[in-house]
Structure formats: C-alpha cells, structure tokens
C-alpha cells in the first residue's frame, strides 16, 4: 500500500523545515494519489525541478522508499521561468498534481532520486 500524497507532502514539508529550508505547498492535488513535483528555487533566477520517476524505475523501489523522483530537465538547473512553463504544461495534462517549492535547497532536496 502506497502512502497517500497528502501525507507524503505534509511529511516532506516538515522535513524541509527541520533541515532549515523554507518550503511551501503551492498547489494541492488529489489527496490519495496525485503526482508530486518539487521545484527548488536557487534564488538567482535558476531552479531545479523534480517530478515522479518513470514507472519502470519506480517499480524497483527499495524497501522503505515511498516515492522516487527524477530531475525533470537536463542539466543541474534551468531558468525559473522555464520551470514554471513546465509546471503549467504538467497541470494542463494532470490537474490533480501537487507542487511544492523549496527555497535554496541542496542538490536532491532530501528526495529519493532515481539512479
């Protein structure tokens, strides 16, 4: 049984707070199973956007890992405006998704990342 999206997001926001990072819920999606995107704003006009890993990768989850993420673009970061455009396209495709924004978080932003 997979952890509900609303519970996962709540725990992730708390984790960011414990680590001293400012994180906010920008968009609330479907409570049970909405896809989750995390935007890390580097506060210099650049951002890193993380989204759900492909099903083929997610199927190989390690025990204890609820969700696995992957960078949603090539390179370490992209222009913040480009990240917003990508999020808008994702919303048009899936209106039930969640968006969490973290200010100046570290690489990986405390997420379980696909290899």
């Amino acid at each position: 049984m997979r952890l509900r999206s609303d519970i996962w997001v709540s725990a992730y926001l708390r984790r960011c707070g414990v680590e001293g990072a400012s994180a906010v819920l920008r968009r609330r999606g479907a409570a049970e199973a909405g896809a989750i995107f995390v935007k890390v704003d580097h506060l210099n006009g650049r951002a890193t956007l993380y989204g759900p890993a492909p099903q083929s990768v997610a199927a190989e989850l390690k025990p204890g890992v609820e969700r696995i993420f992957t960078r949603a673009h090539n390179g370490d970061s992209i222009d913040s405006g480009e990240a917003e455009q990508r999020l808008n396209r994702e919303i048009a495709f899936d209106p039930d998704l969640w968006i969490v924004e973290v200010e100046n978080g570290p690489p990986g932003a405390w997420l379980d990342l696909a290899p």
Side-chain angles (χ1 to χ4, degrees), residues 2 6 8 11 18 20-21 25 29 32 35 40 44 51 57-58 69 81 84 86 88 99 104 106 114:
R2 189 172 186 178
D6 57 347
W8 188 94
V18 166
L25 176 60
E32 294 81 23
V40 179
N44 62 359
V57 175
F69 291 83
E84 290 301 320
R86 172 67 188 265
N88 287 332
I99 299 174
N104 212 17

Side-chain angles (χ1 to χ4, degrees), residues 31-109:
E32 294 81 23
I36 301 167
F37 283 80
V38 177
K39 178 185 173 191
V40 179
D41 189 337
H42 299 295
L43 305 178
N44 62 359
R46 307 289 293 172
T48 305
L49 185 61
Y50 297 98
Q55 283 297 106
S56 60
V57 175
E60 301 171 6
L61 287 176
K62 298 177 286 189
V65 174
E66 281 293 326
R67 294 176 186 267
I68 192 161
F69 291 83
T70 188
R71 204 171 33 238
H73 51 80
N74 294 324
D76 291 335
S77 66
I78 56 175
D79 180 74
S80 287
E82 192 177 332
E84 290 301 320
Q85 289 174 356
R86 172 67 188 265
L87 288 170
N88 287 332
R89 286 193 306 269
E90 293 291 343
I91 292 168
F93 178 73
D94 179 10
D96 291 331
L97 67 84
W98 294 73
I99 299 174
V100 177
E101 186 160 341
V102 181
E103 284 189 354
N104 212 17

